[in-house]
Amino acid sequence: MKSPAFAYAKPRTLDEACGLLEAHGEESRIIAGGQSLVAMLNLRLAAPGLLVDINAIEGLGGISVQGDRLVIGALVRHREIEQSGMVAENCPLLAQAAPHIAHVAIRNSGTIGGSIALADPAAEWPACCLALDATFRLVSKKGERRVAARDFFKGLFATALRPAELVAAIEIPLLPNHRSVFLELARRRGDYAIVGLAALARPEGGRLHDVRLAYLGGGDAPILARHAMQAAEGKPPAADLSAELARDLSPLADLENRAATKLHLANVLARRALAALAA
Amino acid sequence: MTARDELPVKGSKTRTQAGYIGKAEPRANAKRLLQGRGSFIDDLRFPRLAQVVFLRSPHAHAKIRKLDFSKARTAPGVIAVVDGRAVAEYCTPWVGVLSHLKGLKSAPQFPIAIDRACWQGEAVAAVVAETRAQAEDACELIVAEYDPLPAVIDMHEALAGRHVIHPDLGDNICFNREVDFGAVEAAFAKADVVVEESYSFGRHTGVCLEGRAILADYNAAEHTLTVHHATQAPHMMQDIFSKHLNIPEANVRVICRDIGGAYGIKVHVYPDEMCTAALSIMLRRPVKFVADRMESFLSDIHAREHKVKVRLAATKAGEILAFDLDDLTAIGPYSVYPRTSGIEGNQVVNLTGGPYKHQNYRAKLNVVFTNKNVTCQYRAVGHPIAVALTEGIVDLAAQKLGMDPAEFRRRNLVPDDAYPYTGAAGMKFELLSHHQCLDKLLALMDYKALRAEQAELRKKGVYRGIGLAAMIEVTNPSPAFYGVGGARISAQDGATLRLEPTGMLTVLSSVTEQGQGTEGIFAQIAATAVGVTMDKVKVITGDTSTTPYGGGTWASRGAGIGGEAVLQAGKALRSNILDIAAAILSVDKATLDVYNNEIIDAASGASRLPLAELGRVAYFRPDTLPMKFQSELMVTRHYTPREYGFTFTNGIQASLVEIHPDTGFVKLLKHWCVEDCGTVINPMLVDEQIRGGVVQGIGGALFEECHYSEDGQLLNASMADYLVPMSGEMPDIVCGHVESPTKSSELGAKGVGEAGTAGAPGAVMNAINDALAPLNARVNSMPFTPERILDALGAANAKG
Ligand SMILES: Cc1cc2nc3c(=O)[nH]c(=O)nc-3n(C[C@H](O)[C@H](O)[C@H](O)COP(=O)(O)OP(=O)(O)OC[C@H]3O[C@@H](n4cnc5c(N)ncnc54)[C@H](O)[C@@H]3O)c2cc1C
C-alpha cells in the first residue's frame, strides 16, 4: 500500500520544530527514524497532514556522561547505543538489550527517542528505562520538563507526552555497583519478544539488593514487577516468583500465546535472571 | 581434456558428453540480479499505464448490498471504478474442476465478486487510476455496504454442512475419494501392534519476495493482448486469456520477465489478475496490478490445512502390515482454476506410506469448502502432509516396538533391487534408492555417535531429539497429472537451439525461470550437447511468441522435461553442425566432432575449424557449399514423459533439535538431506534447491500459520505477524546425493525442487517428539509453537 499524501517539514532547530507542532496540532506528527511510523503510514493506520522531521535538529543526538548520569539524545540510533563504549561501560543493560531490537538495518535508523515516544509494550528501551529509573527530558513551545520513566508509560502506546511535546533526551542514573541482565524470548531473532525482562540488582554475598525487574510484553505497557522485586529483595535468587508475577503482570494474549503462557515464561525469565545476577 | 576423454552422460549407455553436466557452474543471471539489473513487472514503464487496486471484502461471507462509486469516480487521477458485473462483460467465469478427479465440483468464479463475497479479501470492486496512490485514495471513497452471511470457517462444520456455501452444489464437499487396497481389516486384525494418531497441519502460504504482478496491454487496432505476467506457466495463461477474454490465441502474448519467487503461488488463475487483463481491454490501455504484502496474504493461494487420522499395523518382528488414513482438508470457497484444489488431498492419498513395502492400504479423503481464502498447489503439494503423517506414525510404531527408528525403517523400506515396483497405493516406481539413501544419511550424520551423545546429554537434563523422514516425491509428471482431466496444461516442453554466425548458441525454452536457476542448467546442457563453452550460450525463456510451446515450471519438472528437450535439440544441432563441417572440409562426418567451440578431428582431437568460421560460411557464404546442401542451424525438439505417470524420486531427511522444556522453545541444531534426483546437472543448484526447500518445510513445521478468527478474519496478514523462517533460526543443512538416473530420458534427471519441503516437516516433528519422549510428551499439530510444546508437557505432567 501507499501512504496517503502529507506535507513535510525539516526544521533545523528545536524551537522551530516545537513551533510547527504547536501550529499544526493533531494534524502533525514527528518523524525520527521512521521505522515504526513509515509502516503505519503505508498501512494507512496513520494519516498525518504534516510530518515534522526532527533529524536535522542539532542537540538531539549524542551520548555523554554528565555528573552521575548517562545522557542519551533522542535521535541516538539503536545501533549507536549497541556499539558505544561509553554505554557498555556506564550502563551495560542498554548494551545487553540493544542486539535484541529488530535487525541491524532497522537499528541503524531507529532512535531511542522514537521508541520511548511510541511506547510499544513489547519494546526493549521502555522496559530498560523503567529498570534503570531513567528520566526523560520533554520539550515543547512552553519549555522543558522532566518526567520519570516510572510516571511516563501510561498504557498501550500511551504516554505522559503532551500534544506538541517531544522527547529530547533520556537521563540514566549511573549504578556502578549493580549488575544487569537482559533476557527475552522471541520466536525469531529480531522479533518483538513474547516476553522479556530487564533486570538489575546489587549482588552481595549471594544475596540480591535493590532488585529491579522490568518486563516487556507483560501487559499493555512496560511493567515494573513490584511484588516480585519485593519478594526477591535481600535474598538469594528465588526459584519461583509465579505468585508475585501473577499480581504484577497482566499479559495480553497474542495469536500463539495465552496470557497464562506468557506468565509462565515471565517466571522462567525471572528465575534465569536472578540466578545470573547472583552468579 | 580431449573429446575422447569426456565422460558419458550419467544416464546409461548414452553417447553424449558429460561436459558441464554435474558441474557447479554459477548461473549467469545471478550477477544481473545482484547488481539490481533485474527487470520485474513493477520496473516496466509504459506510456498511458494505469494502475488498478481492489476493494476487498472485509467479511468472510456477505451479500454485497450496495456499492456507491460516485465519490471515488471523481477523485483525482481516477480512470474507472468498476464492479463485478462490469468486468464480467469482458471476461467469462470459470469453474475449477478436472474430470479425472471424479465428482470434484466447484462454483463459477468471476474476476470480481458479483452480489456476494465468499472470503475476506475477495475483490468486490476495482479502481483504475494514473497512480497506485491515487487509486488507493479513491478506493477509500467507495461506499460499500454488506449483509453478513453465516461464515463456514471450521472444516468439520463445513463437512457437517449446516450452512452450505454454494447452495447449487448441495453440500460443502468439493471432492472425496476412498481407496482400499489389499486386506486392511485382516491386517489390522492379525497385527501385534496397532498405533493410531491424529495430526493437524496449519494453513500457510508461500511468501514470495515479489508479489503477484501483471501488466496487461490491449491493442485495439490489432485486437492483441500482450500480458507481462509473473507466472510459472505462460502458455497455460495464454490459453486462458484467450478463452475467457475472447481473443484468438495467436493474438495473446504472455511474457515473463524476472520473477521474484513463485513456489506454486504463481501458477494459478487469480481473479484480480484476470480482472486486470479485462480492464486493459475495457479501457484500451495498459493496466498494471502488483499485489502488496497485505493483499498477498489475503489473496495468494494458501495451502495445507489438513486434519488427518492415521493408523498403522505391524508385527512384533517389526514388519509394517498396513496403513489406514482419514484426511480432511479445507480449501476455501472455490476450487482454484484450472488445476483444482483437490490435488493436495489426492496427493496425500497417493503418497502416504509410499517408501514402504506393506501391501495393505486404505484411505479416505474429504475436501471441503470454507469461507477462507482459497488453497491450492504450493511447493511440494501434499508431500509434507503425507511424509509427516507417515513418518510420525512409523516412529510411534518403532517406539512402541522398542526398535530403533532407523532400523525399523531399514526393515520396511522397499528394497533397492525390487524395481520396477508398484506400491500399496498403486503408485509405480521406476527406480528408487531408499536403502542407499538411508545408509548414506546415517553415515553422513554419524547416527550412532549422535544417539550416544543424546543419551549422555539426557543425563544432564539436556533434551535433544533426532528425527528421520523418508520420502517419495512426484516429479516430471506426464499428461496423467492434468491433461487427462481436461486441463489445457502442457505436460510437454520444447527447446529451440540456434547456432549464431559468431558461434554463439541461443537457447529458447518453454520452461520458465523464477529464481531457481533453470536458465543456468539449460545453458550447461546445451553447451554440453553442442560442444561449446558456457560463455557462448544465451538462454531465453518466458515468451509465448518466441519460445516453443510447453508447460512451464511446476511439479519439479523443469530440469527433467525441459532439460531433456534441450539435450535432444542440442544433439540434433550438433549433428547438423557436423554436416556443414563435413561439407566445408570435404571429409566424412564421422571423423569430426564439436568440442570447445571448434570442429575437431574426432580421433586426434586436432582443431579443424572454429564454429565462428563455420557460422560465417553457413550464413554469409553458403554459395561456397555444395549446390544441394542447405544448412540447418536452428533445431527444435520436444519431450513428454509418458512411460510412467510420474518419475518418482526418493530421499530421506534427518533433523537434530534441542528442546527447552521450561520455555517450549525448539532449537534447530542441524539438518541433513540425502536424496536421489537422478542425474545431478548442477550440484550447487541442487543443494540450494534442497536447502531452500528444507527451510520452507521448517517454516511449516515451526513458524508459519495463517491464523483466522472464528468469523473468518485473517489475523496475521503482515510480515510482522506471519512468521516466515529466517536465517538466524535455521540450522546448517547438509546435503548428500544418490544418483539413479531415470531411463525414461537420456538426460536421466528427475526433479528436485520440492524434495526439501516434502521431508523437512516430518523430520523436525519426529526430532521434537524424540526429544520429548523421556518427558512422556508428544506433539502433532503443526506449527509446533512453544505454547503447543508447553501444553504437551503440561498434559504430561498432569498425567504423571
Ligand atoms: C521489522 C521491525 C522490527 C522491529 N522490532 C523491534 C523490536 O524488537 N523492539 C523494538 O523496540 N522496536 C522494534 N522495531 C521498532 C524500531 O525500534 C523503531 O525504530 C522504534 O520503535 C521507533 O523509533 P523511530 O526513531 O524509528 O521512530 P518513528 O518511526 O520515526 O516514530 C515512531 C513514533 O514516535 C514518535 N516520535 C519519534 N521520535 C519522537 C520524539 N523524539 N519525541 C516525540 N515523539 C517522537 C513519532 O511521531 C511516531 O509516532 C521494529 C521495527 C521494524 C520495522
Side-chain angles (χ1 to χ4, degrees), chain B residues 719-740:
Chain B
M719 293 296 271
D721 300 315
Y722 180 92
L723 307 184
V724 293
M726 305 222 329
S727 58
E729 283 62 49
M730 290 305 108
D732 281 348
I733 300 164
V734 181
C735 302
H737 305 284
V738 170
E739 291 185 66
S740 311

Side-chain angles (χ1 to χ4, degrees), chain B residues 332-354:
Chain B
Y334 296 99
S335 167
V336 173
Y337 186 61
R339 286 162 197 262
T340 83
S341 304
I343 298 284
E344 178 153 283
N346 202 51
Q347 295 275 64
V348 173
V349 171
N350 286 344
L351 300 171
T352 294

Side-chain angles (χ1 to χ4, degrees), chain A residues 2 187-188 258 261 264, chain B residues 136 662 702 724 787 791:
Chain A
K2 306 286 182 208
R187 289 303 307 283
R188 302 173 305 177
R258 298 181 299 268
T261 302
H264 165 82
Chain B
E136 285 184 13
D662 51 356
L702 292 184
V724 293
E787 184 174 83
D791 284 350

Side-chain angles (χ1 to χ4, degrees), chain A residues 21 28-40 51-52 54-55 60 74-78 100-103 106-107 109-120 122-126 138 161 165-169 184 190-193 216, chain B residues 720:
Chain A
L21 293 169
S28 62
R29 191 90 179 241
I30 295 169
I31 182 159
Q35 295 303 295
S36 297
L37 186 56
V38 172
M40 290 190 269
L51 281 192
V52 179
I54 60 172
N55 284 284
L60 286 184
L75 277 180
V76 172
R77 315 286 153 178
H78 308 323
H100 294 277
I101 303 173
H103 308 276
I106 293 157
R107 294 203 291 276
S109 299
T111 66
I112 187 167
S115 181
I116 299 299
L118 184 65
D120 189 308
E124 285 76 5
W125 294 145
L138 312 181
L161 268 177
E165 194 171 40
L166 59 76
V167 178
E184 69 172 49
D191 282 354
Y192 278 107
L216 45 141

